[in-house]
Amino acid sequence: MSSHTNGANGHTNGHANGHQKIENTSTTTLADIPKSHTFTAKLPADPQFPTPLDSHRAPRQKLGPRMVRSALFTYVRPEPTEEPELLAVSKAALRDIGLAESEAESEELRQVVAGNKIYWDEGKPEEGVYPWAQCYGGFQFGSWAGQLGDGRAMSLFETTNPDTGVRYEIQLKGAGKTPYSRFADGKAVLRSSIREFVVSEYLNAIGIPTTRALSLTLCPKSEVVRERLEPGAIVCRFAQSWVRFGTFDLLRSRGDRDLTRKLATYVAEEVYGGWENLPAALPSVEDKKDAHLHPARNVPKDAIQGKEGAEENRFTRLYREITRRTALLVGKLQAYGFMNGVLNTDNTSILGLSLDYGPFAFMDNFDPAYTPNHDDHMLRYSYRSQPSVFWWNLVRLGEALGELIGAGDKVDDEIFATKGVEEEFAPVLIKRAETIIDQVSDEYKAVFLSEYRRLMTARLGLKTQKESDFEKLFSELLDTMEALELDFNHFFRRLSSVKMSDVETKEGREQTAERFFHHGGVTGLNETNESGREKIGAWLDQWRQRITEDWGTSSGDADSQRRESMRMVNPNFVPRGWLLDDIIDRVQNKKERDILKGVMEMTSHPFEDGWGWNEDVEEKYCGDVPRFRRAIQCSCSS
Ligand code: AMP
Ligand code: MG
């Protein structure tokens, strides 16, 4: 068991309150922050380069693409970058890692995040930390894709923030080839790097668990070949864990039972902070008859203390916790209208983080069939499919862990652990694993829906939840938005400034309805401004009644409190596709590097009314999405 509080307890992601302006009091430099490498210390290295020195002495070509077995990583080194230009550093990231704010200006940081310095020295090979690339596989668009791995990402080291106890693995994306680069170049283009940098910090700011981004570096001397030549860039990103569902998938495809158990143990102990942080076993039928139930969760005391039950052993509890984290993530993504765009199992985090940003998008006009991925013809990764696709990925994970969860209390029997499943035990094991996955699907749905509901309730300004809200408020609203082609996130923000006195009468409601229209009026098929006023007006009436129930017949004070509470969960700034394109154009083509500072202010504090940076740009970025730039799609090439 590890001594730090990674995972469950030491979770520092922002909460959806927009006011997480916790000061950075750190004076620690990058050179001085503590550095660890539990991942490489606890898990097996590529047998071809078992130590950092073996890898370091190998010429670069030797570290190129190949199949790597019986290992979870390879020691690799970044390619140096000539004349790196540090375009932006996230202040929130500096704080959360435990770095002084002044490090944004330091030469050391500039060189490290460009891949020009590592914390390891050939003269003292036993000390320091050598970078590594993880080995994983994945199901892509539903088909098994074999070995993938960090083809252009390299982890430099882990560091634990002494104030929060949270440990992060810091990595560079776009710093060159690894054994997992397959046919590609190990590089990233500026365009996609800007997108990843901004969205990582944005999702964190609105309370969605995500991998983070510390910095964005332009590599002016590197030209990267995509559909055309493009400037290269490196994002320094960090996360409590970069392990993916696909990491387990690969081990399963190779029948590597031993490593599956090792990795699951690593995830429980190092990522989730210990087995005892996982949920207790659900009570079995027998347990329910037991009079000595744990008062808090209606669970037997033994189970709380981690005794292996015949039905649920510790690996089942791990699977359930991963499921719960994933379900929480999905509830949040759906409530804010965010789509990853490529939810392959290699892009699905073991810690329920939103991960790997390619053709992602926030919803503009509400359209459940929208997918931001240009190549997603089957709409597999569309908004409405996201919850079921995450579950599909979780079933693959359940299969990869199937033997461990199906073994019940025999999981530590020597013969099972070392030799495998005995023939007569196999049917019992399979049946149990299937039953568990089936039960966990109910837990997934319940957690996802309750999180979605919690956030929608807050976004609508309600204090309580009523059974009828789902039908009468949520579904009605979404149907109305879809029919009238209204902007999803603008709707909530604009609703946050509607006063109860605005919507008391039918006329008031229909007038208020116009605030939700696009500049050019209603565009939905067979809809007019008039039908728009009517539909929104009718919905506003339902909403008004529920607000009054929850907040009382509006004294001005309660009503302004309600509006304030809504503004704190309904962001004013949302990094939509069209404005990311605008930012990319300005930075890349017009060389307006300075705008990234302002954009990062908006990104880190998206609930503000203004940022005192540039009124025109702020207004443009928070305003109506130009008609022909809504619902943009991206290709996977990045
Ligand atoms: P993605 O769909 O971007 O998450 O990538 C899927 C896989 O392709 C991962 O293993 C990536 O590391 C790898 N990959 C994507 N782009 C590149 C690149 N330019 N160079 C090397 N590997 C890449
Ligand atoms: Mg990926």
Side-chain angles (χ1 to χ4, degrees), residues 281-294:
L282 292 170
S284 67
V285 181
E286 280 311 300
D287 290 333
K288 280 184 188 151
K289 291 190 207 129
D290 197 327
H292 311 287
L293 292 178
H294 189 274

Side-chain angles (χ1 to χ4, degrees), residues 599-614:
V599 167
M600 283 316 284
E601 276 305 303
M602 298 177 83
T603 295
S604 318
H605 308 291
F607 299 95
E608 303 291 313
D609 283 320
W611 294 267
W613 158 50
N614 179 329

Side-chain angles (χ1 to χ4, degrees), residues 453-471:
R453 192 179 189 125
R454 182 182 74 80
L455 286 168
M456 288 293 278
T457 300
R459 296 199 77 179
L460 290 175
L462 299 173
K463 290 192 198 168
T464 66
Q465 297 183 1
K466 263 179 91 172
E467 207 41 53
S468 55
D469 289 346
F470 231 100
E471 274 293 301

Side-chain angles (χ1 to χ4, degrees), residues 245 248-249 319 322 350 393-402:
F245 287 15
F248 283 98
D249 293 334
Y319 179 53
I322 295 169
I350 209 73
N393 294 352
L394 276 160
V395 176
R396 300 289 85 72
L397 180 68
E399 288 164 358
L401 295 171

Side-chain angles (χ1 to χ4, degrees), residues 425-436:
F425 184 46
V428 180
L429 180 148
I430 292 167
K431 180 90 195 69
R432 187 185 287 133
E434 283 173 356
T435 309
I436 287 171

Side-chain angles (χ1 to χ4, degrees), residues 299-370:
V299 158
K301 280 214 176 81
D302 279 351
I304 291 274
Q305 282 148 12
K307 188 183 138 189
E308 306 291 14
E311 298 307 320
E312 283 197 48
N313 62 24
R314 64 185 186 281
F315 294 100
T316 300
R317 295 193 293 122
L318 175 62
Y319 179 53
R320 285 185 45 218
E321 182 62 10
I322 295 169
T323 300
R324 297 177 70 92
R325 291 283 185 119
T326 308
L328 284 174
L329 171 67
V330 179
K332 293 178 170 58
L333 297 179
Q334 298 305 100
Y336 281 94
F338 181 79
M339 287 142 283
N340 172 290
V342 204
L343 284 173
N344 296 331
T345 60
D346 50 301
N347 293 340
T348 308
S349 153
I350 209 73
L351 190 54
L353 306 174
S354 170
L355 164 74
D356 273 15
Y357 300 104
F360 66 83
F362 275 96
M363 189 76 91
D364 291 321
N365 289 355
F366 184 71
D367 171 10
Y370 169 64

Side-chain angles (χ1 to χ4, degrees), residues 136 148-152 181-182 184-187 226 346-347 356:
Y136 53 80
L148 301 167
D150 287 333
R152 51 173 167 172
S181 300
R182 297 179 293 154
D185 57 6
K187 304 276 167 133
R226 294 295 180 259
D346 50 301
N347 293 340
D356 273 15

